Amino acid sequence: MDKFCSALPKVRQLLKKDVEAAYEGDPAVKLREEIILSYPFIETVAIQRLAHVLYEAGAPYIPRMMTEWAHSRTGIDIHPGASIGTHFFIDHGTGVVIGETCRIGNWVKLYHGVTLGARSFAKDEDGHIVKGGKRHPDVEDKVTIYPNSTILGGDTVIGANSTIGANVFLMHSVPADSLVVYEEKQLVIRNKSQRNKNEALEWSI
């Protein structure tokens, strides 16, 4: 309990920096108080940072109960074991999953639907999952990950200053200053009225 109470000022300062990251990262916000009072990510991250202190102290059940309660309220699932740096911001947030052994640097921004998960699970000779071990990726400083991207694996590292585009699926590391996007998919824009005329012609034939 003493360790938990002594950590509260540090957690408060981290949350202040998280609010600042949201204020700088979201053009829709006008006042910092708006973030504190209404943004779901700040509620989740506040609870996770407190739960992480208890997790590090070896508390068996309460940390997970705390983060699951936050998950049920906000749709953001962050394991209490995850290590998160300063100025962390999750924009929108619904559907974000961050695994137990994930390590996140400073000034990282995630969007909704991002998963930082495990690629596979080691098993013992009897086929049972081996508990523990590094299973989730590391995300270095100043990384932005856009919606619905999935990054898996304990050996996977997203290098600093990188941007991961929307809907990316990654199971290997990328170096610093990388832009990761899909280029083979082509967006097609057609005139709807012309399309309707063509369809009418096909039906008349």
Side-chain angles (χ1 to χ4, degrees):
M1 182 59 71
D2 289 342
K3 184 176 181 180
F4 178 77
C5 291
S6 64
L8 292 179
K10 180 181 178 181
V11 171
R12 181 184 177 89
Q13 288 302 310
L14 285 171
L15 291 171
K16 184 177 180 180
K17 292 175 181 177
D18 296 333
V19 170
E20 191 61 30
Y23 184 78
E24 293 296 330
D26 186 355
V29 67
K30 303 298 188 296
L31 299 170
R32 290 169 178 83
E33 289 80 4
E34 181 182 351
I35 298 165
I36 297 168
L37 294 172
S38 65
Y39 276 40
F41 100 92
I42 201 66
E43 180 178 357
T44 304
V45 173
I47 291 169
Q48 194 276 342
R49 290 195 185 281
L50 292 169
H52 184 71
V53 175
L54 293 173
Y55 175 91
E56 291 284 286
Y61 304 119
I62 294 177
R64 192 64 183 271
M65 292 168 64
M66 292 169 65
T67 55
E68 287 300 334
W69 183 83
H71 178 201
S72 70
R73 279 181 56 85
T74 66
I76 302 170
D77 184 3
I78 310 178
H79 194 284
S83 176
I84 301 173
T86 70
H87 299 90
F88 183 56
F89 178 32
I90 304 175
D91 202 354
H92 306 295
T94 304
V96 167
V97 177
I98 300 175
E100 179 184 19
T101 61
C102 191
R103 294 186 294 230
I104 297 175
N106 304 322
W107 286 102
V108 169
K109 182 178 183 181
L110 309 181
Y111 285 85
H112 47 285
V114 168
T115 296
L116 303 176
R119 178 177 179 178
S120 61
F121 305 104
K123 295 183 179 180
D124 62 20
E125 57 187 14
D126 296 320
H128 301 300
I129 291 175
V130 177
K131 304 295 183 179
K134 184 74 168 72
R135 308 182 305 282
H136 306 96
D138 290 347
V139 179
E140 295 184 344
D141 296 347
K142 297 182 179 179
V143 168
T144 298
I145 305 177
Y146 280 93
N148 302 315
S149 285
T150 298
I151 301 170
L152 305 179
D155 296 328
T156 302
V157 178
I158 305 302
N161 301 299
S162 291
T163 298
I164 310 299
N167 304 306
V168 167
F169 185 87
L170 266 180
M171 293 195 296
H172 56 80
S173 299
V174 298
D177 299 301
S178 293
L179 172 63
V180 183
V181 294
Y182 287 117
E183 291 186 343
E184 69 273 15
K185 293 183 178 180
Q186 184 176 356
L187 182 68
V188 178
I189 302 174
R190 294 193 174 97
N191 184 288
K192 291 189 341 184
S193 60
Q194 186 62 42
R195 177 188 172 192
N196 292 338
K197 289 179 182 178
N198 291 338
E199 288 179 351
L201 182 61
E202 289 174 5
W203 279 106
S204 66
I205 294 172

